[in-house]
Amino acid sequence: NQDEDKLTEYMDELEFLAFTAGATVQKRFTQKLTQPDSKTFIGSGKAQEIKEYVKEHEIGTIIFDDELSPSQLKNLEREIEVKILDRTNLILDIFAQRAQTSYARTQVELAQYQYLLPRLTRMWTHLERQKGGIGMRGPGETEIETDRRIIRDRISLLKEKLKTIDKQMATQRNNRGKVVRAALVGYTNVGKSTLMNALSKSEVFAENKLFATLDTTVRKVVIGNLPFLLTDTVGFIRKLPTQLVESFKSTLDEVREADLLIHVADISHESFEDQVESVNQTLMEINAHQKPMIMVFNKIDDFSYDRKDEDDLTPATKKNISLEEWKKTWMAKSKYPTVFISALTKENFPEMKKMIYDEVMKIHISRFPYND
Ligand code: GDP
């Protein structure tokens, strides 16, 4: 049963991703296998079932929650005869749509080419079929090779370009001097941008979609006469394509070089524990897990309980939990300073601000021990 809850959550997230990319989901298919089929990822019976559904309902695209190998993608497309996206492809697409700065665009383009390179043959197979399936007489290996070479050249070019921008950004970071730097981290859609806006009175783009934030934004924030820099970072997500992890180096550098992490969690989300865990995992991977951190549990205004009732038919009940009650939960017992807020209604902001002030002050004092 727990497995099924997980599955539903994963599918919910995938549907949300699809929605963010601009697609509407018609139907979900799941299959339990001890391991994915090496040729087609799903079993042939399931593939047949999907194929029939696709035909009957004139579906345009199928999306898989995992990354498919180049050959799985090719085989599935041949079998089901419809456009197939995997999770990586979908996420890359969203990033591409939303990249604002030339830096972000370059990063996404690089990731896209890296994804494309091993899958090039697929496009050609496709063409062959359109030409009437003339087996081996399609575009020859040499043409594919030429294409690969062009893409490889493009990849090196983009890497060079990123290196240059990375250097510029590192310099910029150095020039920020000794002002304390705090970074907002957290799973995507937990409310980081909203909190950033509330704290800095700026207008950072916030919306209920995944990855509304692609580029890092840095704002000066002053709490009780104490100025510090606050960075809003790209939202973390489960199974982020490896191509992206690598290319978002500078974004992660903001986190790596921050003095203080403000970890925001969305307490109204059913699987916020998993999300917190997944963020901590990434922090560990980039070696940022030993930094001072404040845990901010957000969206207390939207917290519901009873979501998993026996029959699960009743809608979740909203319940006002008092701050006192929150402070008695296990969440409050973390080794980090912890606070419960609503970035939307600004409930409990004074306590959060005091907490941030104290942590920033500690770092500030260690840096300027002779000032008052
Ligand atoms: P980010 O991806 O972490 O930057 O998240 P955003 O700041 O873009 O917020 C994602 C969604 O959650 C938006 O629709 C916000 O309006 C909403 N949101 C943020 N904070 C709160 C909150 O405290 N309560 C409620 N109910 N919604 C919130």
Side-chain angles (χ1 to χ4, degrees):
N1 205 9
Q2 218 174 10
D3 279 359
E4 259 166 39
D5 286 347
K6 272 254 145 21
L7 195 64
T8 311
E9 277 165 31
Y10 290 168
M11 291 302 251
D12 283 348
E13 183 176 277
L14 189 68
E15 183 162 340
F16 198 11
L17 279 171
F19 162 76
T20 305
T24 325
V25 173
Q26 298 280 324
K27 190 171 168 66
R28 299 175 173 191
F29 290 91
T30 54
Q31 183 173 39
K32 254 194 203 131
L33 290 176
T34 37
Q35 65 187 57
D37 187 291
S38 61
K39 290 202 184 79
T40 49
F41 192 72
I42 47 176
S44 57
K46 186 57 76 175
Q48 202 52 38
E49 188 188 333
I50 296 176
K51 183 176 179 172
E52 276 159 27
Y53 185 88
V54 163
K55 274 242 166 71
E56 192 180 334
H57 296 84
E58 298 180 357
I59 301 296
T61 311
I62 302 183
I63 303 172
F64 282 79
D65 191 39
D66 284 275
E67 181 167 324
L68 301 170
S69 75
S71 69
Q72 285 169 337
L73 203 57
K74 187 167 77 180
N75 294 333
L76 277 169
E77 253 177 359
R78 198 177 279 157
E79 195 152 325
I80 307 183
E81 295 174 336
V82 69
K83 184 171 144 200
I84 289 174
L85 294 181
D86 60 15
R87 184 179 173 90
T88 303
N89 209 320
L90 182 66
I91 292 180
L92 286 175
D93 193 75
I94 295 171
F95 271 84
Q97 275 179 33
R98 307 184 141 232
Q100 301 272 341
T101 62
S102 113
Y103 183 63
R105 277 197 297 270
T106 313
Q107 284 170 318
V108 176
E109 199 184 339
L110 174 62
Q112 280 178 318
Y113 278 130
Q114 282 171 335
Y115 174 84
L116 184 65
L117 193 59
R119 292 170 177 80
L120 257 195
T121 44
R122 183 169 75 97
M123 302 203 312
W124 292 112
T125 330
H126 229 58
L127 280 182
E128 277 167 29
R129 207 174 56 214
Q130 278 162 12
K131 280 184 188 164
I134 317 167
M136 299 312 292
R137 278 186 297 150
E141 272 302 310
T142 47
E143 278 167 285
I144 299 174
E145 257 325 301
T146 313
D147 253 44
R148 284 210 183 104
R149 207 167 48 237
I150 293 171
I151 291 186
R152 273 197 209 103
D153 288 350
R154 186 81 192 137
I155 287 178
S156 335
L157 201 80
L158 290 169
K159 278 187 175 162
E160 281 305 310
K161 198 170 159 189
L162 282 179
K163 238 191 235 160
T164 315
I165 311 180
D166 272 340
K167 269 190 207 135
Q168 286 167 358
M169 289 174 100
T171 317
Q172 271 173 22
R173 282 196 300 268
N174 282 335
N175 288 346
R176 286 184 210 149
K178 287 197 158 185
V179 181
V180 174
R181 278 149 49 183
L184 287 165
V185 296
Y187 210 75
T188 182
N189 216 45
V190 294
K192 295 183 296 300
S193 307
T194 311
L195 188 58
M196 174 91 164
N197 285 339
L199 282 172
S200 66
K201 301 183 184 72
S202 62
E203 277 308 313
V204 175
F205 185 52
E207 65 171 334
N208 193 19
K209 284 190 175 173
L210 296 183
F211 308 117
T213 321
L214 262 184
D215 300 295
T216 51
T217 329
V218 185
R219 292 274 183 280
K220 187 178 155 193
V221 176
V222 183
I223 298 179
N225 282 334
L226 181 63
F228 62 95
L229 293 174
L230 184 62
T231 312
D232 184 7
T233 62
V234 64
F236 296 18
I237 192 164
R238 191 178 59 88
K239 289 201 268 185
L240 185 71
T242 44
Q243 297 92 334
L244 274 178
V245 175
E246 213 183 295
S247 67
F248 272 78
K249 187 182 161 300
S250 243
T251 308
L252 295 176
D253 279 349
E254 288 284 351
V255 177
R256 218 178 272 128
E257 292 176 19
D259 305 300
L260 170 68
L261 302 180
I262 302 177
H263 185 164
V264 187
D266 173 358
I267 212 165
S268 75
H269 196 287
E270 280 177 61
S271 47
F272 75 91
E273 290 155 88
D274 278 356
Q275 298 187 339
V276 167
E277 192 46 46
S278 138
V279 171
N280 283 336
Q281 189 63 39
T282 311
L283 291 177
M284 206 122 85
E285 277 161 27
I286 61 170
N287 221 354
H289 58 295
Q290 273 157 346
K291 290 181 186 296
M293 185 153 90
I294 296 176
M295 277 306 303
V296 176
F297 289 100
N298 188 31
K299 306 199 190 178
I300 53 172
D301 64 291
D302 200 25
F303 178 79
S304 339
Y305 78 132
D306 274 359
R307 211 181 284 259
K308 298 218 183 73
D309 229 2
E310 293 288 87
D311 38 301
D312 213 19
L313 290 173
T314 43
T317 326
K318 287 247 165 85
K319 190 190 176 197
N320 261 339
I321 295 191
S322 71
L323 284 172
E324 294 319 308
E325 284 175 274
W326 281 121
K327 283 176 191 166
K328 282 183 206 139
T329 61
W330 64 267
M331 290 162 267
K333 298 189 178 81
S334 125
K335 61 176 173 174
Y336 303 107
T338 301
V339 66
F340 301 87
I341 62 148
S342 161
L344 209 63
T345 65
K346 304 204 175 175
E347 192 180 339
N348 209 22
F349 260 40
E351 187 184 343
M352 176 187 64
K353 281 186 171 172
K354 171 83 172 62
M355 208 171 263
I356 297 176
Y357 177 89
D358 288 347
E359 290 304 309
V360 172
M361 194 48 124
K362 267 190 223 160
I363 299 162
H364 187 80
I365 289 172
S366 70
R367 213 162 268 184
F368 304 99
Y370 305 113
N371 294 1
D372 45 24

